[in-house]
Every structure is written in structure tokens, then in C-alpha cells.
Amino acid sequence: MQIRFKKLILMFVAAILVAATLTGCSPTATPSVVIGYKTNGLESGEYSESIEKFTIGEDMYCCVVVKIVTDKKKAHTYDVEVTVPKTKDVEIIKRGGFDAREVIDDTANEQTIMRFDVPGSKEAVEQKIMFKGTPTEEGDATIQVTIYDKGEKIYGY
């Protein structure tokens, strides 16, 4: 009888240790990203996902809306990287948007890379990343959004 009781206590302690270990894991994230553009010269107003052409030498405005919903109530910070190709003079618009943790002007690859810390949680809200820039070349150019959790890529757009 005592042996069964000791085994039961031992199993209970082991279950508590396993549960405590699992609660320390990174949350499961479900990111969503929407990219909108403007070309009318003003940063305020509506951004459209359907704009596909820009005039070389004229400013274009971009709003990247990121929402990272997780299975945890407590906020967790994710690294969001926005890569803007074939565009010069990229400038973050802080009014209404996040400020970058880091901005890299990668002239060798003709792109600007911006890195942001974006919170995610069970009750996550949309976070805006806003910037403007001047297209420099003809041809296809796609803004890329990549989300990392502790260095591991969890999303790419």
C-alpha cells in the first residue's frame, strides 16, 4: 500500500514538472499581414492593396498592418523584418505607426531592411508599420515581410 502511495506521489510530482516545463515554451503564433499603398503624396488617408504601379522618382507610401495572435494571454515580442527593394530614401512615418529598432540601407542589393519589435498575444491588436520611399528602377519589386520568434522564421510574405 505504501509503495503504491509513493508511486502515486512520484507520478504527481513528475506531472507538475512536465506541466511547468510546457508553460515556459514559446506561444503558438498565427500572424496576419496586410500591405497597402498610396501614391497621392499624403501619408494620411486610405491605403489600397490593389495599387501595383508606381512612378519612378515620385514618393510612394506604404502601410504594413501586422497582427500576431497567440495562444497565450501574456504578450510575447516577435521580430518583424520589412524589406523594401528598388527604393531610395525610405523614411519611417512614426505618426500612427511603429518606430523601427533597426534600419539597414543595403545598397549592394538595392534594398532597405527595417526591423521592428511587434507584440503578439491572445488579444493582439493590429500594429501599423508605415513608411515612404522613392522607387528607383523599373520592373517587379515586392515588399517582403518576415516574422521571427527568437531567430526562427515563423512567417514570410
Side-chain angles (χ1 to χ4, degrees):
M1 182 80 164
Q2 280 184 331
I3 294 174
R4 282 188 191 171
F5 184 71
K6 287 180 182 179
K7 283 184 180 179
L8 184 62
I9 296 285
L10 189 59
M11 287 181 8
F12 180 73
V13 170
I16 289 174
L17 289 174
V18 168
T21 304
L22 291 177
T23 57
C25 294
S26 291
T28 302
T30 306
S32 67
V33 174
V34 177
I35 302 176
Y37 303 95
K38 288 182 61 160
T39 57
N40 69 1
L42 299 172
E43 62 192 53
S44 60
E46 293 293 317
Y47 286 75
S48 173
E49 296 175 56
S50 64
I51 296 175
E52 295 180 357
K53 295 181 181 183
F54 302 95
T55 304
I56 294 173
E58 291 184 17
D59 285 345
M60 66 94 173
Y61 294 83
C62 183
C63 180
V64 179
V65 179
V66 178
K67 183 176 181 180
I68 306 172
V69 177
T70 71
D71 58 346
K72 307 278 186 192
K73 188 169 183 120
K74 184 178 177 186
H76 180 75
T77 301
Y78 294 87
D79 299 318
V80 176
E81 184 175 279
V82 178
T83 304
V84 185
K86 299 181 182 180
T87 305
K88 67 176 183 174
D89 302 328
V90 175
E91 181 182 315
I92 295 169
I93 301 168
K94 296 177 187 175
R95 182 180 21 178
F98 261 170
D99 195 8
R101 170 176 34 94
E102 179 180 26
V103 177
I104 301 166
D105 187 16
D106 184 359
T107 53
N109 294 311
E110 299 177 346
Q111 62 186 7
T112 300
I113 301 167
M114 299 174 284
R115 294 189 175 123
F116 301 84
D117 294 326
V118 177
S121 69
K122 195 176 242 182
E123 288 121 19
V125 295
E126 293 180 339
Q127 304 292 338
K128 291 181 181 179
I129 297 170
M130 301 173 69
F131 60 92
K132 74 174 189 169
T134 307
T136 58
E137 293 182 34
E138 287 187 28
D140 291 338
T142 304
I143 292 176
Q144 298 174 352
V145 179
T146 310
I147 301 173
Y148 299 93
D149 182 15
K150 298 178 185 168
E152 182 180 330
K153 181 179 173 179
I154 63 166
Y155 180 87
Y157 178 86

